[in-house]
Amino acid sequence: MAISDLHVAYPDNRRIVAGIRPRSDADWLIVAGDVAEIAEDFVWALTTLRERFAKVVWTPGNHELWTPPTDPVQLRGDARYRRLVEICRSLGVLTPEDPYPVWDGPGGPVTVAPLFLLYDYSFRAPGVTREQALAQAYAAGVVCSDEVLLHPDPYPSRQDWCAARLAETERRLAARDPRLPTVLINHFPLVRDPTRVLFHPEFAQWCGTERTAQWHLRFNAAAVVYGHLHIPRTTWHDGVRFEEVSLGYPREHRRRGLPDEVFRQILPAVGTP
């Protein structure tokens, strides 16, 4: 099962997370980022979920990496990420820094690979530079809060941090057991197509990197799980199933309504292209 964008600072979302239950004692839960901005809320949510599911696999969203002035934990950038990894390990939650587990249940065996890749502003119009794309976003009033709250320390920029994460993750994926398919998990979509339905296309530059456009093929993905867009749906790219698993903000799920189960089933696969 998988879910993302829990945003438990909102009381409505906190109640929803408190009510999540697995279908069976063997179920795993993928949590694909944006659990909370404040470390205390992050701990509460993952503790709650870990007590119920056989295994919880987490990858960070941009909101966990923020350094809000209201959070007692004022670590920035990579140091903040490493602290979140330590918290997860203390709770028994798997992270992108741990050995990739193998799901042997229905639809398996598959290698479950949580990824932390960030973005590099490359989801932009052809012939438009990063500086021009940012200027257009500021002019339209559509600017991600990362520009203020997500610090890349010790890297010079978020795109440099992204490049480092891409290199390390590519190395690890290449070293996995090549006989097994994968479930690739990243907070941001690995391909650009899902961002083309955004109401504000200027926001796409904070949604991923063109450098992962072929990863679902290169690394034999049975499914790709992501969030961030707050547009829960199933799409198919090159015959591979992509699941956007966001819960989203209360104003969003009140408008569209919530299913009985707020998570989405990843394996065994349901549906065809």
Side-chain angles (χ1 to χ4, degrees):
M1 310 302 174
I3 194 168
S4 73
D5 298 79
L6 303 178
H7 297 292
V8 299
Y10 292 92
D12 283 359
N13 284 25
R14 196 177 185 95
R15 285 191 290 271
I16 290 169
V17 171
I20 291 176
R21 297 291 187 279
R23 295 176 183 170
S24 81
D25 292 340
D27 283 351
W28 291 16
L29 183 66
I30 291 165
V31 181
D34 277 8
V35 174
E37 296 82 10
I38 304 297
E40 182 179 0
D41 290 339
F42 178 80
V43 171
W44 173 83
L46 288 185
T47 299
T48 299
L49 296 171
R50 182 64 187 91
E51 288 171 350
R52 297 170 184 173
F53 286 82
K55 197 179 294 292
V56 174
V57 181
W58 167 81
T59 194
N62 52 315
H63 282 237
E64 284 106 331
L65 300 174
W66 288 359
T67 307
T70 55
D71 190 354
V73 179
Q74 284 294 294
L75 295 171
R76 292 163 52 122
D78 189 65
R80 186 174 185 87
Y81 168 62
R82 300 293 168 179
R83 176 65 176 275
L84 295 172
V85 169
E86 290 175 4
I87 290 171
C88 286
R89 286 174 170 169
S90 74
L91 300 174
V93 171
L94 294 176
T95 78
E97 304 308 308
D98 297 311
Y100 297 145
V102 173
W103 164 257
D104 283 318
V110 299
T111 298
V112 178
L115 316 177
F116 168 37
L117 303 176
L118 278 170
Y119 52 83
D120 59 6
Y121 303 87
S122 56
F123 287 179
R124 57 181 188 265
V128 175
T129 67
R130 174 180 169 272
E131 291 73 21
Q132 290 170 332
L134 277 173
Q136 291 169 0
Y138 274 94
V142 182
V143 179
C144 185
S145 297
D146 292 5
E147 294 298 310
V148 176
L149 295 171
L150 201 166
H151 306 283
D153 312 25
Y155 298 92
S157 66
R158 282 177 285 276
Q159 54 267 43
D160 288 314
W161 194 3
C162 175
R165 292 301 313 181
L166 285 165
E168 171 61 14
T169 305
E170 196 168 13
R171 182 192 65 79
R172 289 193 61 201
L173 285 172
R176 81 196 191 286
D177 185 345
R179 296 170 297 178
L180 297 183
T182 62
V183 171
L184 301 179
I185 307 154
N186 191 48
H187 180 64
F188 307 96
L190 295 183
V191 297
R192 185 176 182 178
D193 279 356
T195 71
R196 301 191 191 281
V197 299
L198 290 174
F199 187 72
H200 296 288
E202 299 88 353
F203 191 76
Q205 61 193 300
W206 290 282
C207 294
T209 169
E210 295 283 7
R211 291 177 60 182
T212 59
Q214 297 298 312
W215 280 27
H216 58 293
L217 299 176
R218 285 182 57 199
F219 301 118
N220 191 23
V224 176
V225 176
Y226 69 100
H228 189 58
L229 303 184
H230 293 200
I231 308 172
R233 59 179 180 150
T234 303
T235 56
W236 297 82
H237 306 276
D238 304 305
V240 177
R241 180 167 50 103
F242 280 61
E243 295 282 1
E244 210 282 8
V245 297
S246 297
L247 173 59
Y249 298 129
R251 67 178 184 272
E252 295 167 331
H253 55 70
R254 286 190 201 121
R255 183 174 64 246
R256 66 175 177 257
L258 285 174
D260 292 337
E261 292 177 323
V262 293
F263 50 66
R264 295 169 77 87
Q265 179 174 315
I266 305 305
L267 292 175
V270 290
T272 56

